[in-house]
Amino acid sequence: MCGIIGIVGREPVADRLVDGLKRMEYRGYDSAGICTLSGGQLVRRRAEGKLANLTREVAEHPAPGEVGIAHTRWATHGAPTEQNAHPHATGEVALVHNGIIENFKPLRDELLALGRKFESETDTEVVVQMLSRHIEEGKSPAEAVRTVLPRLRGAFALAIAFRQDPDMLIGARLGSPLVVGYGEGETYLGSDALALAPLTQDISYLEEGDWVIITREGATIFDVDGNEVERAVTKSGASAAAIEKGNYRHFMQKEIFEQPTVVAQTLRSYVRQLERTVALPQIDFDITSINRVTIVACGTSFYAGMVAKYWFEMFARVPVDIDVASEFRYRDPVLEPGGLALFISQSGETADTLAALRHCKEAGQTIAVVVNVPTSSMAREADLLLPTHAGPEIGVASTKAFTCQLAVLAALAAHFAVKKGRLSKDEERAIVDHLLEAPACLNAALDHDDDIAQMAHLIAPARDVLYLGRGPDYPLAMEGALKLKEISYIHAEGYASGEMKHGPIALIDDHVPVVVLAPSGPLFEKTVSNMQEVRARGGKIVLISDAEGIAEAGEGCMATIEMPKVHPLIAPLVYAVPVQLLAYHVACAKGTDVDQPRNLAKSVTVE
Ligand code: M6R
């Protein structure tokens, strides 16, 4: 949600700021803006909509200067207009913000009563006005920041420029991520290491409540109590090349096709191929004492968690609770001693998931995270870090992160079961063998890309689409529906196939395509019976199954999508591919913005 960057440089910064925003556009694309310091003035350029508009604006009206800040916005308070675009500024202070200032109303009233004038509808502008007031009263930038920060409630990462001090910037974070980057005679601020990838690999991750003064010489960091502190400098390893589309039309398409490689890459950290055993990172707690697992996540990561619930219960016989983070944190969940709280997140920064993690930590749970960004807040706050190795995921619709999450979760469930004495050596070997088959099976699933592209026109005109699945294919049905709605804007729902006749079947007519996920296996016949109930009522079926399943039940379907025959354990990974491709090709057929669908952002760092 919003990306920010700041540069105290030795050369003009405008182009580099815009370039940095390009690498963060996935965080929000409602508007963008920059502000540089030049000739004793704050020079601001802003534009509504995609970054291309700002690029044009900066080309037409250059912003000179070697120090500046920039922002790409996902709107929270105030419409996505130029007036509400960051940076927000007075004559003295300009500021970019990622997060939400929850107490902005009383602060705004207080400032209005003092006669200050606002020009936007945003929560952010109160911070600029408060800082400006203190600067006008004669405080230094550092004193002004030190006075204002304790008054802000909510979440923020800030980068602030001061007219009176053109050779430095101040950054601050609470609840939203912010990193400091160290270059050759230059220093940077960024929402993440990726934003700074071409500028530097030397990064410090600010901790909650930290604020920082950056100059060309480096950074001086203060903690929440105002004490000067050191934060370790680490090599980020982020690569700007990883966020190129290559020969693909969209990032989403590239990321779908990367799955065989990144799942194999991820599995390498979780299985020992020669010994055919699962292998987890060093665990500093007694896993056998875990008596309950609580899984919390959002969106696609939540559906990965739902699949994992089946595995944990089936292999390890441990009870699993699962909830979406936004509900979990406010329902006062029962968290008994001996519980493992497992958080799943691509970004590791999703605000609700992070808040739930902190809640569970306070409640004495052991914290495990499955996360794709190893330097994220969740990764840093976990007792057990289980990284996925999917590489940067840029398309807003999550694809490769999902299949990598499933790979890690399957290995974790098996490890749990081994430690609890619930799996024999042979059973463990069989699980490892099946997991190692996954990359090849993903490749075989991708071979059907053309067939799926051919049939997308059958779905593209629909107003509603239903997805059905049973067992671990039920969460996958919901994932398929989520993919379709977020990038094609077609209303879609995923149901447990046996639940259809308890209500949703009333929706069936010949305008509602029903996508049925039914790999042949123990649940096939049950799912097919539910499918026949739909067909008997005129429903148009798209059956996704293997050759055997299609031979048995494909007749009379509007379309079939053939998958390789796979073991039920890896079916959720393999069947993710056709639902991703179907959504992708339908979106292409409709001409929507696949990588940056309307109203969404990749990393949801506000509640
Ligand atoms: O970064 P996270 O995995 O925590 O993000 C969770 C959701 O915001 C995310 O999965 C979202 O639902 C995707 N856009 C789905 O494609």
Side-chain angles (χ1 to χ4, degrees), residues 411-431:
L412 177 63
H415 180 76
F416 220 148
V418 170
K419 293 288 172 196
K420 288 213 160 231
R422 295 270 179 191
L423 275 189
S424 68
K425 284 276 163 226
D426 281 350
E427 286 166 326
E428 182 184 6
R429 279 191 207 109
I431 287 178

Side-chain angles (χ1 to χ4, degrees), residues 297-302 344-350 353 378 396-399 405 479 482-483 486 600-604:
C298 298
T300 290
S301 298
F302 172 71
I344 307 168
S345 176
Q346 188 285 127
S347 61
E349 300 293 350
T350 300
T353 312
M378 283 181 219
V396 163
S398 187
T399 53
Q405 287 165 350
E479 169 60 3
L482 175 62
K483 287 287 89 86
E486 71 178 330
L600 291 171
K602 181 73 183 162
S603 184
V604 183

